[in-house]
């Protein structure tokens, strides 16, 4: 009776070992087939190992060809295209009606004081206006006007009014704005909202006058007054313009940046197509950074193992 029990236990143990053996064999076979399949899905792992032998600056010891046809975005060329699209957008300068009216109002108050009050009262009124506007009469313009005769003063006031209208109509710019766009590499700009202009004409910086060099636009204009106005009075007229006029055309930085961003968004990425069998590396040639980048793209666009390799691996495992 005891002998029978011992025999049954031995047979049960053998049966369990056989079962475990079969399970282990199945697991090994499944694992052996899954590993290459999983690697095929994650080509980055294969790429890291296969690309180690190709280093920038070293000689290539074999010809390397594209394993499949693929397409990718050329990051370097796309970046250049985006930057070029932004550079193609000229800076925009915008005419300011508010600044134009501000300068016109100053001149109107200036003329009203000298025409309707005594020189003493006019001097007080003009100085008060300058103080309210935050302007400093460093050239003693008030005293110089007060010293003129009534006729000379009237002629000079009329010439000053006409000259300011002319300058504001042509545009008074900021030298700082000009320096800003010059530093960006531009010598021209787009002019927006200027009265009498259609659309946004392209204007050369060198043709325009800033407040710091008003004489560029005043020289030819003042020639018309040389007969009726004395030379020293023309200098007073120029000083009056420098004191009362405002910059009425300014660099519109926000609009310029917005339009450059729009140009960037409208620029399509540059794609490169590599066909299967195309040579990527050439034997005995120095490997370049662009070639390594192309190899990395090729690795990302291929499976780690071909279908024939997978079938062969599975058959070998079984």
């Amino acid at each position: 009776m005891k002998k029978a029990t011992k025999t049954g236990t031995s047979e049960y143990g053998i049966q369990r070992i056989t079962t475990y053996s079969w399970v282990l064999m199945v697991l090994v076979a499944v694992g052996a087939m899954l590993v290459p399949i999983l690697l095929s899905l994650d080509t980055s792992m294969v790429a890291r190992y296969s690309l180690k032998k190709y280093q920038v600056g070293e000689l290539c010891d074999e010809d390397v060809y594209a394993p499949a046809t693929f397409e990718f975005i050329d990051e370097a060329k796309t970046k250049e295209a985006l930057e070029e699209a932004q550079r193609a957008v000229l800076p925009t300068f915008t005419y300011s009606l508010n600044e134009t009216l501000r300068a016109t109002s100053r001149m109107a108050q200036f003329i009203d004081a000298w025409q309707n009050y005594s020189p003493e009262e006019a001097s007080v009124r003009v100085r008060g206006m300058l103080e309210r506007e935050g302007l400093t009469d460093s050239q003693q313009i008030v005293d110089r006007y007060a010293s003129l005769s009534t006729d000379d003063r009237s002629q000079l006031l009329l010439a000053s009014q006409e000259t300011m209208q002319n300058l504001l109509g042509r545009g008074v710019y900021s030298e700082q704005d000009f320096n800003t766009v010059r530093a960006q590499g531009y010598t021209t700009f787009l002019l927006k909202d200027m009265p009498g202009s259609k659309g946004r004409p392209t204007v050369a910086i060198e043709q325009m006058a800033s407040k710091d060099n008003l004489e560029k636009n005043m020289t030819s204009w003042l020639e018309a007054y040389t007969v009726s106005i004395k030379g020293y009075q023309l200098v007073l007229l120029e000083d009056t313009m420098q004191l009362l006029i405002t910059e009425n055309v300014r660099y519109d930085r926000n609009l310029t940046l917005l339009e450059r961003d729009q140009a960037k968004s409208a620029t399509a990425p540059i794609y490169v197509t590599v066909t299967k069998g195309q040579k990527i590396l050439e034997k005995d040639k120095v490997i370049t950074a662009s070639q390594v980048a192309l190899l990395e793209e090729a690795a990302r666009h291929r499976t780690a193992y071909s279908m024939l390799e997978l079938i062969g691996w599975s058959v070998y495992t079984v």
Side-chain angles (χ1 to χ4, degrees):
M1 187 71 176
K2 291 182 179 180
K3 185 176 181 180
T5 302
K6 184 176 181 181
T7 302
T9 302
S10 177
E11 291 178 353
Y12 176 72
I14 293 172
Q15 189 176 25
R16 288 185 63 186
I17 292 172
T18 302
T19 302
Y20 288 150
S21 298
W22 275 105
V23 170
L24 183 60
M25 289 175 61
V26 170
L27 289 176
V28 170
V30 171
M33 288 186 290
L34 284 178
V35 167
I37 294 174
L38 292 175
L39 284 175
S40 298
L41 299 178
D42 183 12
T43 59
S44 62
M45 182 180 296
V46 177
R48 284 196 297 270
Y49 288 105
S50 62
L51 293 176
K52 280 185 176 180
K53 58 187 292 189
Y54 305 113
Q55 300 296 323
V56 176
E58 295 183 357
L59 286 178
C60 185
D61 59 1
E62 61 181 343
D63 290 332
V64 179
Y65 301 89
T69 297
F70 62 93
E71 187 178 64
F72 67 98
I73 295 176
D74 190 318
E75 299 293 346
K77 290 185 178 179
T78 297
K79 182 180 179 182
E80 290 179 3
L82 294 176
E83 292 175 349
E84 183 58 34
Q86 290 181 300
R87 281 195 300 269
V89 178
L90 293 176
T92 294
F93 281 65
T94 302
Y95 168 81
S96 172
L97 178 60
N98 288 338
E99 290 301 317
T100 301
L101 293 176
R102 184 181 177 190
T104 303
S105 174
R106 289 176 181 176
M107 180 56 73
Q109 295 177 66
F110 188 83
I111 293 174
D112 178 72
W114 293 113
Q115 286 183 339
N116 298 307
Y117 298 91
S118 66
E120 293 77 14
E121 179 64 19
S123 297
V124 173
R125 287 178 173 271
V126 171
R127 286 193 174 98
M129 182 269 291
L130 296 177
E131 184 177 355
R132 290 191 301 273
E133 292 287 334
L135 302 175
T136 302
D137 184 13
S138 59
Q139 299 298 321
Q140 290 78 48
I141 292 173
V142 174
D143 292 338
R144 290 157 68 186
Y145 264 91
S147 67
L148 295 175
S149 67
T150 302
D151 290 341
D152 287 346
R153 188 185 303 118
S154 296
Q155 288 184 338
L156 189 57
L157 288 173
L158 178 60
S160 297
Q161 183 180 37
E162 292 174 345
T163 301
M164 176 168 283
Q165 290 175 347
N166 177 269
L167 291 173
L168 292 174
R170 298 171 69 174
V172 179
Y173 296 80
S174 163
E175 193 65 29
Q176 182 177 355
D177 286 348
F178 282 164
N179 290 335
T180 297
V181 298
R182 285 193 190 103
Q184 298 173 6
Y186 296 96
T187 58
T188 58
F189 60 88
L190 300 177
L191 183 56
K192 179 176 178 287
D193 296 337
M194 195 70 180
S197 297
K198 294 181 179 180
R200 294 193 205 175
T202 301
V203 181
I205 292 177
E206 296 306 317
Q207 295 177 354
M208 298 295 104
S210 67
K211 187 175 180 180
D212 293 341
N213 64 345
L214 284 177
E215 63 276 3
K216 177 184 289 188
N217 281 348
M218 291 176 63
T219 303
S220 59
W221 171 262
L222 293 179
E223 290 178 357
Y225 296 103
T226 55
V227 176
S228 59
I229 299 178
K230 301 178 179 67
Y232 71 90
Q233 293 175 358
L234 291 177
V235 175
L236 176 56
L237 189 155
E238 293 179 4
D239 291 342
T240 303
M241 293 302 101
Q242 286 287 352
L243 179 64
L244 299 180
I245 207 165
T246 59
E247 297 154 339
N248 68 332
V249 185
R250 298 303 304 267
Y251 171 43
D252 198 331
R253 181 177 181 274
N254 290 336
L255 178 60
T256 301
L257 292 178
L258 174 62
E259 293 184 339
R260 286 175 181 169
D261 285 341
Q262 291 173 343
K264 179 179 179 181
S265 300
T267 303
I270 296 177
Y271 286 88
V272 175
T273 300
V274 178
T275 57
K276 182 177 181 180
Q278 179 177 326
K279 184 179 289 186
I280 298 178
L281 296 181
E282 187 173 352
K283 185 177 180 180
D284 297 330
K285 297 290 185 180
V286 176
I287 301 172
T288 65
S290 60
Q291 289 175 321
V292 171
L294 190 56
L295 278 176
E296 292 172 349
E297 289 293 339
R300 279 193 285 268
H301 288 83
R302 72 179 290 271
T303 58
Y305 296 93
S306 67
M307 184 58 65
L308 289 176
E309 289 173 325
L310 290 174
I311 293 173
W313 185 283
S314 301
V315 171
Y316 174 78
T317 302
V318 173

